[in-house]
Amino acid sequence: MWRSACGLSVRAAERAIHRKCSHRLYAHNAEKPPPQSSPRTQAEKERRRRDKEEAILSSQHNNVEDQGMKWSEKERIAYSVSTPPGEKKDTTLPFPSSYSPEYVETSWYPWWEKEGFFTPEINDRLPHAVNRSFSMCIPPPNVTGTLHLGHALTVAIEDALVRWRRMQGYKVVWVPGCDHAGIATQTVVERRLFRERGKRRQDLSREEFLKEVWTWKKEKGEEIYHQLRKLGASLDWSRACFTMDPGFSSAVTEAFVRLCDSGLIYRSEGLVNWSCALESAISDIEVDSKQLSGRTLLSVPGYQNRVEFGTMVTFSYPIDGQDGEVAVSTTRPETMLGDVAIAVHPEDPRYQAIHGKQCRHPFADRLLPIITDTLVDMELGTGAVKVTPAHDHTDFLLSQRHSLPRLTVIGGDGTMTPLCGQWLEGVKRFDAREQVIDALTEKMLFRGKRDHAMSLPVCSRSGDVIEPLLKKQWFVRCGEMAQRAIQVIGLPCYDLCGFNNVMPVCVFHVSDWCISRQLWWGHQIPAYRVTLSDSTDTQEELWVWGRSEEEARERAAGKYGVTADAITLTQDPDVLDTWFSSGLFPFAMLGWPQQTSDLRQFYPNTILETGSDLIFFWVARMVMLGTELTGQLPFKQVLLHSLVRDKHGRKMSKSLGNVIDPLDVISGISLEVHTRSDLSTPDSCLSVPYGVQRKDFPKGIPECGTDALRFALCSYKAQGEDISLSVSQVLSCRHFCNKMWQTVRFTLVFHLIYNPSDHFVPKQMTSPLNSMDQWVCSRLYSTVLQCEQGFERYELHSVTAALHSFWLHSLCDIYLECIKPVLSQDSGAGELGLIDTVHTGRGSQREKQVVRAVLYHCVSVSLALLSPFMPFLTEELWQRLYLLKGEGGDSAGASLCLQPYPQSSQLVRE
C-alpha cells in the first residue's frame, strides 16, 4: 500500500526533472517546446511503463511494511449543517483546509439512496445509457453477526465493478441480502434466552421459540445493513431479500418439491457430521479440522475436565475356536462396542492364515468375521482394522461392500446407547473411553497407547468434537446434477477469473449431500410422514412432499390409493441446511419461481464475486442447483478473491481475537474501548491484525475513512496469494486522500483568484498546449487506458496503481510543481500556504487560462476514474468542481456516480 512519502527514489527522480524543466517550459517568453528525444518503439514504452509501475508498487509495499506508518492525530472536522436524511449536502460551504473522513462521508449515502441512484430504473434517465445489463448478488452474510474485513474486501471489489458498469451506462442491479444462518442464529438466541430468562429452548413450544428468534432478528438484523451503507455499497435496497422472507421461502419449498419429484432428493439412512452439543447434523463447511501432533488435552462442551486426544490405543480380539489374537489400533476405543468385523488387506502376509476366521467380542456375545479389503492400509497401526460402520465413514463403505450390520453405540446426545450394556448405558462418550480401556486392561487385552498425529474434526459453531452418526435424513444426489452442470458448461471448466480461468471438474465430484438439520430455526422441510388409518405396519416409513399440506395430502391419497380422510400427515420437524437456500440465491432473489421481469432481464447473473474458500461449498452448489432448476448456469463468470489475513498471515477468527470490524478502521477506536472489547490483546500490541504498536498509535486506531479502506483493499492483487492487511497500509491511503483533497483545493482557489465571476470551465481546450500540458494530458490518456484494461480483466489492483501513480506522481509531483511559477505572481497563493513562495515566475493570461483548463481537465477526469473506489471523497470534490460550471448542481442526476466513465477513445487526441 502507499504512503505519502513512499516511492522516494521515483519521486526524487521526478523532482529532478521538475527542477530542470519548470522554468524552461514556462518561462514568460517560451514559445517552443524543448528538444525531443528520438521516438521509442511502442514495445519499449510499454516495457518502461511496466518497470516503473512495478518499482512504485515495490517501494510502496516495502516502505509500509518495513518502516511502519508514523501517525500524528489529525483534526476531526465535522459537517455541522443540519441536513435532513435524503437531502443533498451543501457543497457551497467554505472548503476545509484538510481532509477529514467524518466531514466528507456525511449525508451523501442517504441522498444517493433516496434519489434511487442504485436502482436499475435510474438507467432510463441517463443520456449515455446503453442497452446492456449487469447483475450480481452479494454473498449473503449471516444475520447473526457483523461484517469483518473479509466482507469489506468483497464489498470493495463488487462495488467497484458495479459503479464502473453503472457509469458506463449499463442497467445495473446489485441485490443485498442476509442469510438466516440456522445453527448460528439458533445458538445465539438459545444463549440469550438462558442468560436473560433461565430457560432452554425445550422449555418453549416451537412457535414460541421462533417468535423469540424473529424478535432478535428485528433488533440485530439491521446492523449488517448499516455496515454495508457505511462502506458505501451501492446496493439496490428496494430489492433486499432475507432467506426467511415469505417469497424466498416459497422458492425454497418449490426447489425441494421439484428435486424430490425428479428423484434428486431422497430419504435414506447414512452417516452425517453430528454435533452432540447442538444435537444436529451440520454441513461440511461447519467442520474445522484441528491438527494434533500427538497427545493433547482439549476442552469439550459438557465436560468439566479436558479430554485427551492424539493417541492411538491398541488392543486385541481373541480368535474364536483357536489360540491367537488379532491386534487392532484405534483413536476412538469407545466405539469398539459397535465393532462388527475386522478387516485386513488381502495381500498382507501377516494375516494370510486367518482369512475367513472369526474373533469374539469381549463385551458382547457376538462374533466378528475377519474380512479382506484393499481399502485397508497395511502400514497404519497393526494393519488390522476394527470395523464400526455406524461411526466411521470408511467403515460404513466397508459395510456396504460386505453386507455388515450397523450398530449405533453413541446417541445423538453424546451418551452410550443401551446396545453397550448396562455398565456403559448413559455414560458420556469420552468418559466411556476411559472405562473401556480399563475394562480391556482387566481382561488383559490392552496392548498399549502411543502418541499419534491426527486431524480432529471440530464443530465450528459449538467447539464440540464431531461424531459421525447413522441417521435417517434427506439427501441430494449431487453426482447426477454435477454431470448435467458440466454438460451445460460444455467444458470441464468455468470462466473463473483470476485463477487460470479453470474450475476443475473435481469441484463437482462430491458425495451425496445431507440437507436435514435438527433445528427449529430455518425452512422446515416440506415433507410429511404418512400414517394410513387401516395400516398395521408401524416400522415402514411412508413419505410424501408438497408445496402445502393440502397438496401433500392429495399426493398421498393418489400414491397409496386411499381417500384423503384416511390419511394422517406429520410434517418432518427438521429444517433444511442453510446452504440449500443460499444455493438458490442468484435466481430466488429475482423472484423465481415466478417469471418476473427481473428474472427475465437479469438472469443469469453477469458475474459471481466471492471468496476462494467458498468455491466448493457455495459456488459449485449454486451451479448445480441453478442448472437443474432453471436450465441455465446461474452466472456467466466467477471471480474469486483471496482471503484477508492478519499481519502475521493468520486466518481471521474469533478464537484468535483478530477479527476486525471495518467500522473500527473507518471511524477509529480508542485504546480504552478497544482493550475492553473481545478483541483485546496483550499490552505489547494494541491488536494483532491491525499490526498497530502502542508506540506508533498511543491513543488507539486512527480514523482512516471508508474511501481509504476501500482503496487499500482494492489495491491488492485479489486473485492468488492471501492478503495480509495492517492499519498502516490503510493510513497510507488516507494520506493519498488528503493529497487529492489539497489538489482540488489548489484547483478551486486558483480559479476563484483569477476569475471570481467566471463560472465556466471549458470542456475543450482549444488553445495550443505547451509541451508540459501535452505531457500531463498524455499521461492522463495512458491512465484511462490502463483503467479500461484493468477493469475489463478484473485486475483492480492495476487500476488503483495506475490512478495512484498518475495523481501522486505525474499530476502532483511534476505538473503542479511546474505550473506553480506560472500561477504564483500576484495570486496571493503564497499567503494561503498553497504555493512555496520561493518559486517565482511570470505567466501570460493565455498561459494561465490554459494551465487552469488543463488542471481542471486532469482533476475532473481523475475523480471520475477514482469514483468506483472512493465514492464519498470523489463525490464531495466533484460537486465542488461542478459548481464552477454555473449549473447549480441541484438536479437529481447531478452525481458523479451517474456520470460517464472516462473512455480513452474520447481522449485519444491527447
Side-chain angles (χ1 to χ4, degrees), residues 352-371:
Q352 293 288 333
I354 60 172
H355 289 181
K357 301 289 186 179
Q358 293 178 316
C359 290
R360 183 166 294 278
H361 199 289
F363 305 123
D365 188 21
R366 64 174 180 269
L367 296 175
L368 311 181
I370 300 175
I371 62 175

Side-chain angles (χ1 to χ4, degrees), residues 77-96 103-109 111 741 748 875-883 888-890 894:
I77 304 173
Y79 177 75
S80 57
V81 177
S82 177
T83 305
E87 294 298 314
K88 189 175 182 181
K89 188 176 182 179
D90 184 2
T91 54
T92 63
L93 299 176
F95 205 124
Y103 181 94
V104 168
E105 295 168 17
T106 301
S107 299
W108 287 121
Y109 198 97
W111 177 62
W741 185 266
L748 291 172
E875 185 75 74
E876 178 84 24
L877 297 177
W878 183 86
Q879 290 290 345
R880 293 178 179 271
L881 287 179
Y882 188 84
L883 293 174
D890 293 328

Side-chain angles (χ1 to χ4, degrees), residues 751-752 755-762 852 856 881-887:
H751 179 86
L752 296 176
N755 290 283
S757 61
D758 179 11
H759 293 288
F760 176 70
V761 178
R852 287 168 41 231
Y856 177 91
L881 287 179
Y882 188 84
L883 293 174
L884 295 181
K885 297 182 179 182
E887 299 177 9

